[in-house]
Amino acid sequence: MSLKVLIVDDSMVMRKIVVKSLRAAGFDIEAIEAADGKEALKKVNAKVQLIITDWNMPQMDGLSFAKKIKEDKNTKHIPIIMLTTEGSMAKFEEALDCGVDDYVTKPFTPEKLKKKLDKFIN
Amino acid sequence: MTDEKLYQNIIESIISAAENVFQTMIFMDIKSQAPFERKGMGSLSDITAIISLTGDIIGSIAVSINTDSAGEAISNMLGDEITDVQEIIDGVGEITNLVVGMAKTVLSELSCQFEISVPIVVTGKGVNIQHYSTQNKSLTTIPFYMEDKSFFQLELYLKE
Ligand SMILES: [Mg+2]
């Protein structure tokens, strides 16, 4: 059965790259896409198995979105990977404090993304 | 850090970020040429994405690229022939975001902290680009080449 992944990024090109990278890494995925945290909150449900989200987005950024996901008992079990250009240690820690489970910095290669994902997918 | 030194660090981190982003995600080798100063704010190429910077430094960084070069870069990035203009415009914004974001991380390690906005993309050549200040200021332009072809220009404005 394919893996239900919610991909949140304000760039549609970046969302496509993430989908391609996941498929290239051998994951059989069903991708749900959203352009910011607000849209993602409307699309998320308990059946989503993984969230990959950008940080800097209009409307609602990835950090506020992650907090909301982790506050909701229906969605807090979903692992969140932050995929962002924010690469400093301070930002990384801020994200973990908000409930983000792991962190991948952009630019990234499909291999780099796969390594992180393997931890969350069996 | 002296202003001159900081400025040099900013220029260097932007150049290495651009080269790195093109290498890892676009699979293209680009090379920068010597930066120069210019007056005026008209865009140099067809599509321009601008990101503002606020914090220890205040200003903006823009990437200006012609449609053909942008199409080539984004097609390479996606591994698919991309001709849809919306997609090309979106891609230019994201490439700019990747470059500025990476430079930001490098600079934060040099104790220069700032936040970046989401990119705003403007189309048209010679169009006024809203860099931070509005008056007749000078921009630093860094030309980037792919092989011997002019590929895009990156422009930096820093508030004094
Ligand atoms: Mg983004």
Side-chain angles (χ1 to χ4, degrees):
Chain A
M1 218 177 60
S2 54
L3 185 78
K4 240 182 156 79
V5 187
L6 174 60
I7 297 162
V8 194
D9 199 301
D10 54 333
S11 163
M12 90 179 135
V13 166
M14 186 48 75
R15 295 196 301 268
K16 271 196 178 179
I17 291 171
V18 173
V19 171
K20 275 207 137 176
S21 300
L22 294 177
R23 296 206 167 118
F27 296 110
D28 172 19
I29 62 157
E30 181 195 329
I32 306 159
E33 296 185 29
D36 58 53
K38 236 175 161 177
E39 192 187 331
L41 281 179
K42 284 184 199 147
K43 291 189 171 175
V44 73
N45 59 57
K47 284 184 183 143
V48 169
Q49 289 158 290
L50 179 72
I51 295 171
I52 298 178
T53 183
D54 187 16
W55 187 320
N56 297 318
M57 295 179 288
Q59 311 265 17
M60 183 190 288
D61 69 15
L63 213 55
S64 317
F65 168 63
K67 269 192 214 157
K68 292 234 186 290
I69 291 295
K70 295 297 180 181
E71 276 164 15
D72 186 333
K73 63 176 188 336
N74 296 314
T75 55
K76 67 178 182 193
H77 62 283
I78 308 171
I80 302 177
I81 294 179
M82 185 79 101
L83 180 63
T84 172
T85 59
E86 299 290 352
S88 72
M89 204 32 121
K91 289 285 183 180
F92 175 68
E93 280 164 7
E94 195 183 344
L96 294 186
D97 283 346
C98 288
V100 165
D101 297 276
D102 216 328
Y103 203 92
V104 179
T105 51
K106 295 174 185 171
F108 65 96
T109 57
E111 296 74 44
K112 191 161 131 187
L113 193 58
K114 181 182 189 303
K115 256 190 205 157
K116 290 282 181 182
L117 259 63
D118 281 338
K119 280 206 293 192
F120 299 98
I121 296 155
N122 19 48
Chain B
M1 208 170 344
T2 62
D3 281 358
E4 186 115 337
K5 182 73 190 145
L6 174 63
Y7 185 77
Q8 211 46 50
N9 283 337
I10 294 169
I11 297 287
E12 276 165 23
S13 35
I14 292 172
I15 292 175
S16 67
E19 287 173 354
N20 189 306
V21 165
F22 271 76
Q23 222 160 44
T24 50
M25 295 205 74
I26 309 178
F27 317 106
M28 275 183 176
D29 274 320
I30 53 159
K31 282 274 163 292
S32 64
Q33 293 213 334
F36 59 88
E37 302 285 312
R38 74 172 181 108
K39 288 265 186 206
M41 296 183 292
S43 56
L44 296 174
S45 297
D46 302 335
I47 304 170
T48 305
I50 184 162
I51 289 180
S52 54
L53 324 170
T54 43
D56 293 345
I57 52 174
I58 294 175
S60 40
I61 294 176
V63 166
S64 202
I65 184 165
N66 280 327
T67 312
D68 286 356
S69 302
E72 202 181 328
I74 290 139
S75 298
N76 248 31
M77 204 171 169
L78 281 167
D80 249 332
E81 183 73 27
I82 304 298
T83 50
D84 180 66
V85 181
Q86 258 341 95
E87 216 161 328
I88 292 174
I89 289 173
D90 176 293
V92 172
E94 186 59 15
I95 291 170
T96 309
N97 178 48
L98 293 173
V99 172
V100 176
M102 201 176 179
K104 176 193 166 173
T105 301
V106 173
L107 286 164
S108 77
E109 283 154 16
L110 301 171
S111 304
C112 173
Q113 316 282 346
F114 56 90
E115 294 300 327
I116 63 176
S117 71
V118 292
I120 291 171
V121 189
V122 176
T123 56
K125 209 170 180 159
V127 170
N128 248 21
I129 301 301
Q130 293 299 310
H131 280 277
Y132 185 83
S133 143
T134 48
Q135 294 301 317
N136 203 27
K137 66 224 171 193
S138 97
L139 298 173
T140 303
T141 303
I142 311 169
F144 282 87
Y145 276 66
M146 215 248 311
E147 283 155 11
D148 52 3
K149 185 172 91 181
S150 167
F151 207 67
F152 65 90
Q153 301 85 36
L154 193 149
E155 296 197 292
L156 167 71
Y157 170 75
L158 285 184
K159 191 176 170 236
E160 299 278 304

